[in-house]
Amino acid sequence: VYALALWLIILFFNDITAMKVTLSGLSRLLSLIQLMVLSVSLQTYSQNYLKIMPLGNSITFDQYMVDTRGTGDKISYRYKLYQDLTDAGYDFDFIGSERSGCNYLHITPRDYSDNAGFPGIDPPQLLTLLQTGLNYAVNPLGTCELPLCPQNYLTYYQPDVILLHIGTVGLTSKAIADNYLNAITQILDAIDAYEAGAGKTVTVFLAQIINRA
């Protein structure tokens, strides 16, 4: 796995009534992603296009704590990345079990609103989801995010590129941070295991945690 720590330039607003994440100044980040996508696109895969998995929590899905927007308007960084990759002539698809942003992202011939952003999920829960397909973030009994669970989420979707941004939910102490670090390490190990089983190289963009100060 090629894990790249990226500086996300994000303005973060958090008060008692709402949590709003605004993505801005991402031109350098998106340019770097384009460069890496180019290097990945030179490799050979079973399909003739790149499968890109935006993986994370509400920032990836684009969900505020108090949010009156419809799901079709929730685009996160994915719409700008979609525009840049499309304009550059790349053949790709966004993949995952969740859907948001269809008012901006084309849904034919491929559904570019697909993503793997799970609002409220933390790193240990995301690790469990990747291993089993079960999401415990909003349902203590677990919600199956695949047609059948348990099964491996990555094996089901077979990504070539993973954009991983995780660790902002419930991060209130060093002990939790240490637990999250261990879980993220295991997430990367799980991607390594998928990579080995699939017999291909998977490029991972690992975002640095956003500044919540």
Side-chain angles (χ1 to χ4, degrees), residues 21 23 53-65 67 69-79 96-102 105 112-121 135 145 153 163 165-166 168:
V21 177
L23 301 179
M53 176 177 285
L55 178 62
N57 55 26
S58 57
I59 295 173
T60 299
F61 186 87
D62 194 4
Q63 174 71 43
Y64 309 154
M65 288 184 65
D67 200 337
R69 297 173 301 157
T71 300
D73 292 333
K74 298 176 180 179
I75 56 177
S76 184
Y77 66 83
R78 294 175 286 111
Y79 180 54
S97 56
E98 310 308 291
R99 289 170 181 80
S100 59
C102 63
L105 294 154
Y112 292 95
S113 72
D114 290 342
N115 66 89
F118 303 95
I121 203 166
N135 182 359
E145 301 288 357
Y153 193 88
L163 311 178
H165 188 205
I166 191 66
T168 57

Side-chain angles (χ1 to χ4, degrees), residues 30-155:
L30 297 177
S31 296
L32 179 57
I33 292 177
Q34 287 185 57
L35 179 62
M36 288 302 299
V37 167
L38 173 61
S39 68
V40 174
S41 66
L42 297 178
Q43 303 176 42
T44 301
Y45 294 102
S46 57
Q47 75 282 348
N48 59 1
Y49 60 93
L50 281 177
K51 293 182 178 180
I52 302 174
M53 176 177 285
L55 178 62
N57 55 26
S58 57
I59 295 173
T60 299
F61 186 87
D62 194 4
Q63 174 71 43
Y64 309 154
M65 288 184 65
V66 177
D67 200 337
T68 59
R69 297 173 301 157
T71 300
D73 292 333
K74 298 176 180 179
I75 56 177
S76 184
Y77 66 83
R78 294 175 286 111
Y79 180 54
K80 175 60 175 172
L81 179 58
Y82 165 83
Q83 288 180 311
D84 288 349
L85 293 178
T86 299
D87 290 345
Y90 295 112
D91 194 7
F92 69 98
D93 190 17
F94 290 150
I95 60 172
S97 56
E98 310 308 291
R99 289 170 181 80
S100 59
C102 63
N103 291 343
Y104 296 85
L105 294 154
H106 290 180
I107 59 174
T108 58
R110 301 175 190 140
D111 191 342
Y112 292 95
S113 72
D114 290 342
N115 66 89
F118 303 95
I121 203 166
D122 62 28
Q125 293 168 336
L126 183 61
L127 174 62
T128 297
L129 188 147
L130 294 181
Q131 294 170 331
T132 67
L134 292 168
N135 182 359
Y136 289 94
V138 295
N139 181 358
L141 299 178
T143 298
C144 183
E145 301 288 357
L146 299 174
L148 181 65
C149 293
Q151 65 175 308
N152 188 283
Y153 193 88
L154 297 177
T155 301

